[in-house]
Amino acid sequence: MKFFIDTANLDQIKEAQDLGVLDGVTTNPSLMAKEGIKGAENIKQHYIDICNIVDGDVSAEVIATDYEGMIMEGEELAALHPQIVVKVPCTKAGIKAVKYLSSKNIRTNCTLIFSSGQALLAAKAGATYVSPFVGRLDDIGTDGVDLIAQIADMFNYYSFETEVLAASIRHTMHILQCVEAGADVATCPLSAITGLLNHPLTDKGLEQFLADYNKLNS
Ligand code: G3P
Protein backbone atom coordinates (compact mmCIF):
# COMPACT_ATOMS: atom_id res chain seq x y z
CA MET A 1 0.00 0.00 0.00
CA LYS A 2 1.47 3.33 -1.08
CA PHE A 3 0.77 6.67 0.61
CA PHE A 4 0.46 9.82 -1.41
CA ILE A 5 -0.28 13.17 0.20
CA ASP A 6 -3.17 15.10 -1.34
CA THR A 7 -2.01 18.70 -1.10
CA ALA A 8 0.01 21.40 -2.82
CA ASN A 9 1.26 22.76 0.52
CA LEU A 10 5.06 22.50 0.55
CA ASP A 11 5.38 22.44 4.36
CA GLN A 12 2.96 19.53 4.65
CA ILE A 13 4.70 17.69 1.81
CA LYS A 14 8.06 18.19 3.56
CA GLU A 15 6.60 16.97 6.87
CA ALA A 16 5.20 13.82 5.25
CA GLN A 17 8.44 13.22 3.35
CA ASP A 18 10.45 13.59 6.60
CA LEU A 19 8.24 10.93 8.21
CA GLY A 20 9.81 8.51 5.71
CA VAL A 21 6.62 6.84 4.48
CA LEU A 22 5.63 9.07 1.58
CA ASP A 23 5.41 7.57 -1.92
CA GLY A 24 4.06 10.54 -3.87
CA VAL A 25 1.85 13.62 -4.09
CA THR A 26 -1.44 14.41 -5.78
CA THR A 27 -2.62 17.91 -6.53
CA ASN A 28 -5.63 19.35 -8.32
CA PRO A 29 -6.60 22.86 -9.41
CA SER A 30 -8.52 23.45 -6.15
CA LEU A 31 -5.52 22.45 -4.03
CA MET A 32 -3.18 24.67 -6.08
CA ALA A 33 -5.62 27.59 -5.72
CA LYS A 34 -5.76 26.99 -1.96
CA GLU A 35 -2.02 27.70 -1.82
CA GLY A 36 -2.51 30.89 -3.86
CA ILE A 37 -0.45 29.57 -6.80
CA LYS A 38 -1.54 31.43 -9.94
CA GLY A 39 -0.08 32.06 -13.40
CA ALA A 40 1.22 29.35 -15.73
CA GLU A 41 4.90 29.84 -14.86
CA ASN A 42 4.32 29.86 -11.09
CA ILE A 43 2.19 26.74 -11.36
CA LYS A 44 4.90 24.91 -13.32
CA GLN A 45 7.57 26.02 -10.84
CA HIS A 46 5.41 24.81 -7.96
CA TYR A 47 5.18 21.33 -9.52
CA ILE A 48 8.97 21.28 -9.89
CA ASP A 49 9.37 22.40 -6.25
CA ILE A 50 7.11 19.52 -5.15
CA CYS A 51 9.11 17.02 -7.24
CA ASN A 52 12.30 18.26 -5.59
CA ILE A 53 10.92 17.49 -2.13
CA VAL A 54 9.37 14.07 -2.62
CA ASP A 55 10.76 10.78 -3.95
CA GLY A 56 7.86 9.55 -6.02
CA ASP A 57 5.07 10.37 -8.42
CA VAL A 58 3.56 13.85 -8.46
CA SER A 59 0.16 14.22 -10.14
CA ALA A 60 -0.32 17.50 -12.01
CA GLU A 61 -3.77 18.10 -13.47
CA VAL A 62 -4.61 19.54 -16.89
CA ILE A 63 -7.01 22.49 -17.05
CA ALA A 64 -8.07 21.99 -20.69
CA THR A 65 -11.28 20.05 -21.24
CA ASP A 66 -10.89 19.38 -24.98
CA TYR A 67 -8.73 16.56 -26.36
CA GLU A 68 -6.17 18.73 -28.19
CA GLY A 69 -5.77 21.03 -25.20
CA MET A 70 -5.38 18.09 -22.81
CA ILE A 71 -2.65 16.41 -24.79
CA MET A 72 -0.76 19.67 -25.35
CA GLU A 73 -0.94 20.53 -21.65
CA GLY A 74 -0.17 16.93 -20.68
CA GLU A 75 3.00 16.88 -22.77
CA GLU A 76 4.10 20.22 -21.27
CA LEU A 77 3.48 19.00 -17.73
CA ALA A 78 5.26 15.68 -18.32
CA ALA A 79 8.30 17.54 -19.70
CA LEU A 80 8.67 19.49 -16.44
CA HIS A 81 10.09 16.59 -14.43
CA PRO A 82 10.35 12.77 -14.73
CA GLN A 83 8.24 12.35 -11.57
CA ILE A 84 5.20 14.10 -13.07
CA VAL A 85 2.09 12.02 -13.72
CA VAL A 86 -0.49 13.84 -15.86
CA LYS A 87 -3.90 13.97 -14.20
CA VAL A 88 -6.81 13.95 -16.65
CA PRO A 89 -10.55 13.97 -15.85
CA CYS A 90 -12.61 10.93 -16.79
CA THR A 91 -14.52 12.40 -19.74
CA LYS A 92 -14.70 11.30 -23.37
CA ALA A 93 -11.88 13.72 -24.27
CA GLY A 94 -10.01 12.64 -21.14
CA ILE A 95 -10.09 8.94 -22.04
CA LYS A 96 -8.82 9.77 -25.54
CA ALA A 97 -6.07 11.89 -23.99
CA VAL A 98 -5.08 9.05 -21.61
CA LYS A 99 -4.82 6.72 -24.62
CA TYR A 100 -2.66 9.21 -26.52
CA LEU A 101 -0.41 10.10 -23.57
CA SER A 102 0.13 6.46 -22.58
CA SER A 103 1.09 5.66 -26.21
CA LYS A 104 3.82 8.31 -25.75
CA ASN A 105 4.95 6.67 -22.49
CA ILE A 106 3.58 9.55 -20.46
CA ARG A 107 2.10 8.33 -17.20
CA THR A 108 -1.47 9.36 -16.37
CA ASN A 109 -3.84 9.53 -13.43
CA CYS A 110 -7.46 9.42 -14.57
CA THR A 111 -9.39 11.42 -12.00
CA LEU A 112 -12.99 12.16 -10.95
CA ILE A 113 -13.88 8.45 -11.12
CA PHE A 114 -17.24 7.61 -9.54
CA SER A 115 -18.12 4.25 -11.15
CA SER A 116 -16.45 0.95 -12.05
CA GLY A 117 -17.39 1.56 -15.71
CA GLN A 118 -15.35 4.77 -15.76
CA ALA A 119 -12.41 2.94 -14.16
CA LEU A 120 -12.68 0.17 -16.77
CA LEU A 121 -12.47 2.67 -19.65
CA ALA A 122 -9.51 4.45 -18.06
CA ALA A 123 -7.65 1.15 -17.55
CA LYS A 124 -8.36 0.06 -21.12
CA ALA A 125 -6.98 3.41 -22.34
CA GLY A 126 -3.75 2.67 -20.43
CA ALA A 127 -4.03 4.89 -17.35
CA THR A 128 -1.24 4.41 -14.81
CA TYR A 129 -3.67 5.23 -12.01
CA VAL A 130 -7.41 5.65 -11.61
CA SER A 131 -8.64 7.94 -8.85
CA PRO A 132 -12.06 6.97 -7.44
CA PHE A 133 -13.27 9.68 -5.01
CA VAL A 134 -14.24 7.91 -1.80
CA GLY A 135 -15.30 10.89 0.33
CA ARG A 136 -17.41 12.55 -2.35
CA LEU A 137 -19.39 9.32 -2.83
CA ASP A 138 -19.87 9.04 0.93
CA ASP A 139 -21.10 12.65 0.87
CA ILE A 140 -24.06 11.65 -1.31
CA GLY A 141 -24.91 8.53 0.68
CA THR A 142 -23.10 6.02 -1.56
CA ASP A 143 -20.37 3.80 -0.11
CA GLY A 144 -17.09 5.08 -1.58
CA VAL A 145 -15.03 2.20 -0.18
CA ASP A 146 -17.32 -0.30 -1.94
CA LEU A 147 -16.30 1.26 -5.26
CA ILE A 148 -12.62 0.79 -4.38
CA ALA A 149 -13.27 -2.92 -3.73
CA GLN A 150 -15.22 -3.33 -7.00
CA ILE A 151 -12.48 -1.70 -9.07
CA ALA A 152 -9.67 -3.59 -7.30
CA ASP A 153 -11.47 -6.91 -7.96
CA MET A 154 -12.07 -6.02 -11.60
CA PHE A 155 -8.45 -5.01 -12.19
CA ASN A 156 -7.20 -8.20 -10.51
CA TYR A 157 -9.60 -10.38 -12.48
CA TYR A 158 -8.54 -8.93 -15.83
CA SER A 159 -4.88 -8.40 -14.81
CA PHE A 160 -4.91 -4.67 -15.59
CA GLU A 161 -1.69 -2.98 -14.55
CA THR A 162 -3.54 0.24 -13.73
CA GLU A 163 -3.28 1.04 -10.02
CA VAL A 164 -6.27 1.92 -7.86
CA LEU A 165 -5.51 5.26 -6.20
CA ALA A 166 -8.14 5.91 -3.54
CA ALA A 167 -8.76 9.68 -3.54
CA SER A 168 -10.95 12.09 -1.63
CA ILE A 169 -9.81 10.35 1.54
CA ARG A 170 -11.04 12.42 4.45
CA HIS A 171 -9.86 10.59 7.58
CA THR A 172 -7.80 7.77 9.02
CA MET A 173 -10.60 5.18 8.97
CA HIS A 174 -10.96 5.71 5.20
CA ILE A 175 -7.30 4.66 4.81
CA LEU A 176 -7.82 1.45 6.80
CA GLN A 177 -11.00 0.63 4.85
CA CYS A 178 -9.23 1.22 1.53
CA VAL A 179 -6.39 -1.11 2.59
CA GLU A 180 -8.98 -3.81 3.24
CA ALA A 181 -10.72 -3.09 -0.08
CA GLY A 182 -7.47 -3.65 -1.99
CA ALA A 183 -6.43 -0.11 -3.02
CA ASP A 184 -2.86 0.14 -4.32
CA VAL A 185 -2.49 3.74 -3.16
CA ALA A 186 -4.35 6.12 -0.87
CA THR A 187 -3.89 9.85 -1.33
CA CYS A 188 -4.64 11.51 1.95
CA PRO A 189 -4.47 14.67 3.99
CA LEU A 190 -1.46 14.65 6.33
CA SER A 191 -3.80 14.43 9.35
CA ALA A 192 -5.27 11.14 8.08
CA ILE A 193 -1.77 9.63 7.72
CA THR A 194 -0.53 10.77 11.14
CA GLY A 195 -3.86 9.59 12.60
CA LEU A 196 -2.64 6.04 11.96
CA LEU A 197 -0.08 6.60 14.72
CA ASN A 198 -2.57 7.32 17.46
CA HIS A 199 -3.33 4.70 20.08
CA PRO A 200 -4.02 5.40 23.76
CA LEU A 201 -2.27 2.19 24.82
CA THR A 202 0.92 3.40 23.10
CA ASP A 203 0.76 6.68 25.05
CA LYS A 204 -0.08 4.88 28.29
CA GLY A 205 2.64 2.26 27.79
CA LEU A 206 5.28 4.89 27.06
CA GLU A 207 4.28 6.90 30.11
CA GLN A 208 4.63 3.78 32.25
CA PHE A 209 8.04 2.85 30.76
CA LEU A 210 9.39 6.34 31.49
CA ALA A 211 7.91 6.42 34.99
CA ASP A 212 9.55 3.06 35.82
CA TYR A 213 12.89 4.21 34.36
CA ASN A 214 12.76 7.46 36.36
CA LYS A 215 12.00 5.62 39.62
CA LEU A 216 15.38 3.90 39.44
CA ASN A 217 17.44 6.53 37.67
CA SER A 218 16.48 9.86 39.30
O1 G3P B 1 -7.70 13.63 -4.62
C1 G3P B 1 -8.90 14.28 -4.85
C2 G3P B 1 -9.24 15.08 -3.67
O2 G3P B 1 -8.41 16.20 -3.56
C3 G3P B 1 -10.65 15.48 -3.52
O3 G3P B 1 -10.86 15.50 -2.16
O4 G3P B 1 -11.99 16.13 -0.10
O5 G3P B 1 -12.15 17.60 -2.14
O6 G3P B 1 -13.33 15.41 -2.05
P1 G3P B 1 -12.17 16.20 -1.59
Side-chain angles (χ1 to χ4, degrees):
M1 173 73 159
K2 288 187 274 187
F3 282 127
F4 290 179
I5 187 168
D6 195 29
T7 184
N9 181 283
L10 298 183
D11 290 336
Q12 288 189 20
I13 294 168
K14 279 185 200 133
E15 192 177 334
Q17 174 69 21
D18 286 349
L19 194 59
V21 297
L22 191 65
D23 301 295
V25 176
T26 52
T27 64
N28 62 36
S30 304
L31 294 171
M32 294 291 276
K34 198 170 160 191
E35 299 309 313
I37 317 294
K38 58 180 177 182
E41 289 316 307
N42 290 334
I43 289 173
K44 285 179 188 168
Q45 187 54 51
H46 200 75
Y47 287 137
I48 294 169
D49 292 345
I50 294 175
C51 290
N52 288 335
I53 296 170
V54 69
D55 302 319
D57 292 347
V58 174
S59 285
E61 188 158 344
V62 300
I63 302 299
T65 54
D66 62 303
Y67 170 69
E68 283 78 14
M70 281 180 180
I71 63 175
M72 195 181 75
E73 228 184 295
E75 285 178 326
E76 278 173 16
L77 289 170
L80 290 178
H81 198 283
Q83 285 166 240
I84 294 282
V85 174
V86 178
K87 205 170 179 190
V88 176
C90 188
T91 59
K92 200 171 176 183
I95 292 296
K96 284 171 68 180
V98 166
K99 180 73 182 177
Y100 172 86
L101 294 168
S102 62
S103 76
K104 300 285 174 197
N105 291 322
I106 293 174
R107 293 174 308 136
T108 55
N109 174 356
C110 194
T111 190
L112 289 168
I113 298 264
F114 293 96
S115 74
S116 55
Q118 290 177 317
L120 176 61
L121 287 178
K124 283 182 71 71
T128 312
Y129 299 102
V130 290
S131 288
F133 277 33
V134 173
R136 290 193 196 182
L137 280 171
D138 287 359
D139 287 344
I140 59 158
T142 302
D143 191 336
V145 174
D146 259 6
L147 178 61
I148 299 295
Q150 283 170 29
I151 298 171
D153 281 353
M154 177 173 69
F155 285 4
N156 281 339
Y157 187 82
Y158 291 108
S159 304
F160 282 120
E161 284 176 16
T162 304
E163 293 187 51
V164 183
L165 194 172
S168 184
I169 296 290
R170 302 277 174 75
H171 47 72
T172 303
M173 196 61 200
H174 266 159
I175 300 180
L176 297 171
Q177 290 168 328
C178 286
V179 167
E180 209 171 319
D184 300 292
V185 191
T187 189
C188 324
L190 181 60
S191 58
I193 300 175
T194 54
L196 291 166
L197 278 170
N198 297 337
H199 202 289
L201 290 180
T202 305
D203 299 339
K204 193 177 165 202
L206 183 59
E207 203 178 306
Q208 183 70 55
F209 287 155
L210 293 179
D212 290 342
Y213 173 87
N214 285 333
K215 265 189 235 157
L216 283 183
N217 293 281
S218 56

